[in-house]
Amino acid sequence: MQDEQPAPVEPSAPSRAPEVAPAAKEAPRPGEAQGTSLADRIGMIVGGQFVNTLIVLVQGVVVVRLLGKAEYGVLAFATMLFMTGRDLAQLYLPESFLYFAPKVTRAELRGLVRQSMLLLVGLGALSALAFSVFALVPSVFLDGREGVTRLLLLIGLMSVISYPASVFGPLFIATNNHRKSAGVALIVTLSSAAGAIVPAALGCSIAWIVAAQCAAQALRLGLSYRLYARLFQDVAAAPFPGGVRAQLAYALPLSVTRFAGLFNQKLDKFVIGLFFSAGLYAEFSVGSQELPLVGVLAYSVASTMLPDLVARVENGRTPAEGARAAIDLWHSGIRKTTLIMLPVAAFLLLFAEPLMRTIYGDAYVGAAVPFRIYAALLPLRVTAYAIMLMAFGKTSFILRIQVVSMVFNTAANLVLLPTIGMVGAPLSAVLTQVLVIASTVACIARFSGVGLRGVFPWGHYGRVAATAIVAAAPLAAFLLTGATDRRPALSLALCAPLYAGLYLVAARVTGVLAPEDRAFVARWLRLEPLRSRHG
């Protein structure tokens, strides 16, 4: 059960945080590496999350194959409930560190950590109480499937443990301790994977798997706190300026926005969980998993840029100059993620069925339908669009967009579910996300002053899209032969590297792969940033 992408800046807090003494502003943060470039910081985070995500993917595949379909459906539904409760109940408190950390002294930052942990322990206890109430009426979920009660009680316990631990990830990012944070995350991810695979392999009940995840979250809390204590051992905590009121003034408006966003993200999953069986939910859960590249690449790049985006907006000689500087930086991240996301989307749309059959088995071939529907959205998921509105201090518009999209999503489900069945839920979710992205881009264009033509790197995006389509054309012809139906695994093993080679050749010809992109990849292949003493 992994953390989702961090979400950044705030709606209603003042445009600038409380001023601190000049000396405090100039003092380096714990572990701060002044020579570490933004690109290397992004690379450290993306690289670390890529390894962790790969482990989680392997864990998920193994657990799906070890458990029965209905058992896995119950486990997936419980996991979804935990993650939804976590994202709602944490009130954006962990993400507030990305905004406040550059603006306060080290002593005040330590005070903010202590304040946040106390708040999150209380919120975790409230979540545990809510899950306990749900445990009293388990028959409303998954067509009355048994075994849900114990899982609800266990995810309540996990909430109490995991909520305060969530403070440290954003804190380590904000203080430029990326490698240390990645090391802790790797240890916890390996422990979590072992805690899921071993009980499943031994034939234990899924309650043991959730109990092992509780232990992994306790390990995360202990290791993270130990690292934090070492980094701040020479600093005495000082009260955070404004106290709880200032932090909640930042977090609560964003929490309302998050509720609207989560409603749109999770409505399809709740609909399937409430009205369909555990076996069908398992199939839907496998097919509706968000491609890890979205969180690992697109959102990690955007969230890591956030402090720099805020700085560019605030430090421009004029508001227009600051906005244009932030847009330029945002575009640089989009250009890099586009190079990966578009060809991946093209390949997945073509090979959805053989991929599901190869990874999860023939029993999950039906998962290809929701998988392909969600994959159709990948070409638009090249960045976290709302980050720019947050950097501009215009996050109230995010809430307006989300409220409108909630109405649209609900209406779409009411129309499509009776008409086309279970497929209506993912289709409604995708159409809603398209509406959200289009509306957000229009707002960014308005507030930045660059217009629709300048708000997005349209030319680069179009060239990469054309390159990905041209490279995919030979594979589309291969699919028409029906070879993938007979040997899906072999077809994937042959076509994946073939497509990668065709795409790289086409990218070289069209010039979408710039020299600096090749140099950046080469540096990471040599592990140069990881061998540095920074972070």
Side-chain angles (χ1 to χ4, degrees):
M1 299 180 183
Q2 300 299 303
D3 291 334
E4 295 177 0
Q5 71 277 2
V9 185
E10 134 255 23
S12 65
S15 60
R16 296 181 183 272
E19 293 292 332
V20 297
K25 288 183 178 180
E26 296 169 3
R29 302 288 172 195
E32 188 172 26
Q34 296 177 353
T36 305
S37 68
L38 176 62
D40 283 347
R41 279 184 278 148
I42 290 173
M44 288 178 189
I45 293 173
V46 171
Q49 289 195 6
F50 175 80
V51 173
N52 290 333
T53 302
L54 183 62
I55 296 170
V56 172
L57 279 176
V58 173
Q59 165 196 326
V61 171
V62 174
V63 170
V64 168
R65 287 186 167 271
L66 289 174
L67 295 178
K69 204 170 183 180
E71 274 189 309
Y72 178 74
V74 175
L75 178 62
F77 186 73
T79 302
M80 185 273 295
L81 287 178
F82 165 75
M83 296 180 70
T84 303
R86 178 200 64 189
D87 292 340
L88 285 174
Q90 287 182 353
L91 299 181
Y92 256 78
L93 295 177
E95 291 86 347
S96 67
F97 284 85
L98 296 173
Y99 181 79
F100 287 118
K103 301 171 180 290
V104 297
T105 65
R106 292 175 59 188
E108 292 166 348
L109 183 59
R110 186 160 194 178
L112 180 61
V113 172
R114 182 173 59 186
Q115 172 179 293
S116 300
M117 290 189 70
L118 290 173
L119 288 171
L120 288 167
V121 167
L123 292 169
L126 290 175
S127 294
L129 179 61
F131 286 126
S132 299
V133 172
F134 285 138
L136 298 176
V137 285
S139 59
V140 301
F141 301 116
L142 302 175
D143 202 22
R145 176 76 184 185
E146 296 181 358
V148 177
T149 299
R150 283 181 296 174
L151 298 190
L152 290 170
L153 295 175
L154 283 169
I155 62 176
L157 173 61
M158 185 157 52
S159 300
V160 177
I161 300 170
S162 66
Y163 286 13
S166 63
V167 163
F168 297 106
L171 172 67
F172 295 149
I173 290 174
T175 55
N176 206 16
N177 287 284
H178 308 90
R179 282 200 302 167
K180 299 179 180 68
S181 177
V184 171
L186 179 60
I187 293 172
V188 174
T189 302
L190 288 170
S191 302
S192 179
I197 293 172
V198 173
L202 294 176
C204 301
S205 72
I206 53 178
W208 283 100
I209 296 177
V210 180
Q213 303 311 303
C214 291
Q217 290 299 320
L219 177 64
R220 174 191 175 203
L221 176 60
L223 292 177
S224 298
Y225 191 85
R226 181 180 178 184
L227 173 58
Y228 155 74
R230 189 167 75 242
L231 292 173
F232 285 81
Q233 60 184 340
D234 59 337
V235 180
F240 173 68
V244 173
R245 178 176 295 180
Q247 190 177 15
L248 291 181
Y250 169 93
L252 288 179
L254 278 177
S255 299
V256 176
T257 304
R258 171 173 274 180
F259 169 78
L262 283 173
F263 180 91
N264 290 323
Q265 293 173 18
K266 307 292 187 179
L267 180 60
D268 55 341
K269 297 171 178 59
F270 276 105
V271 166
I272 303 300
L274 288 172
F275 297 108
F276 295 89
S277 67
L280 285 176
Y281 188 87
E283 202 169 90
F284 171 79
S285 176
V286 165
S288 66
Q289 293 181 74
E290 182 173 75
L291 188 71
L293 276 176
V294 175
V296 172
L297 184 60
Y299 290 140
S300 291
V301 168
S303 63
T304 306
M305 282 184 171
L306 181 64
D308 298 86
L309 291 171
V310 174
R312 290 199 178 196
V313 170
E314 293 189 349
N315 296 334
R317 288 177 295 182
T318 65
E321 181 182 280
R324 284 176 171 79
I327 287 288
D328 289 340
L329 179 60
W330 185 51
H331 283 185
S332 69
I334 293 175
R335 290 189 183 96
K336 284 181 170 54
T337 56
T338 297
L339 290 170
I340 298 176
M341 296 296 289
L342 295 190
V344 168
F347 184 83
L348 293 179
L349 284 168
L350 286 175
F351 286 86
E353 284 90 354
L355 184 66
M356 292 295 102
R357 291 176 60 196
T358 300
I359 296 178
Y360 299 108
D362 290 339
Y364 284 89
V365 66
V369 176
F371 181 83
R372 182 170 276 126
I373 292 173
Y374 287 109
L377 190 61
L378 284 179
L380 298 180
R381 305 290 294 278
V382 293
T383 186
Y385 295 90
I387 277 185
M388 286 308 302
L389 291 181
M390 294 174 180
F392 292 150
K394 301 292 186 180
T395 46
S396 61
F397 285 84
I398 301 175
L399 178 58
R400 298 180 192 180
I401 293 170
Q402 294 288 2
V403 169
V404 171
S405 63
M406 285 172 61
V407 176
F408 177 86
N409 196 1
T410 303
N413 273 281
L414 290 174
V415 171
L416 295 178
L417 275 172
T419 305
I420 58 178
M422 191 172 73
V423 175
L427 187 57
S428 299
V430 168
L431 292 174
T432 301
Q433 286 301 310
V434 171
L435 173 65
V436 169
I437 291 171
S439 303
T440 304
V441 169
C443 288
I444 296 170
R446 173 187 169 191
F447 294 123
S448 65
V450 300
L452 287 175
R453 177 175 293 183
V455 75
F456 196 80
W458 302 108
H460 177 81
Y461 185 91
R463 290 193 300 273
V464 176
T467 302
I469 292 172
V470 168
L475 300 185
F478 173 75
L479 285 173
L480 295 176
T481 66
T484 57
D485 297 332
R486 296 187 295 272
R487 296 192 175 183
L490 180 60
S491 298
L492 276 177
L494 294 175
C495 290
L498 175 61
Y499 178 69
L502 290 172
Y503 172 72
L504 290 175
V505 171
R508 187 71 178 262
V509 172
T510 57
V512 297
L513 198 61
E516 58 266 26
D517 297 324
R518 295 196 294 269
F520 178 74
V521 172
R523 290 186 66 234
W524 272 92
L525 289 176
R526 295 193 296 268
L527 303 180
E528 287 181 10
L530 297 181
R531 293 201 304 266
S532 73
R533 297 176 60 187
H534 304 314

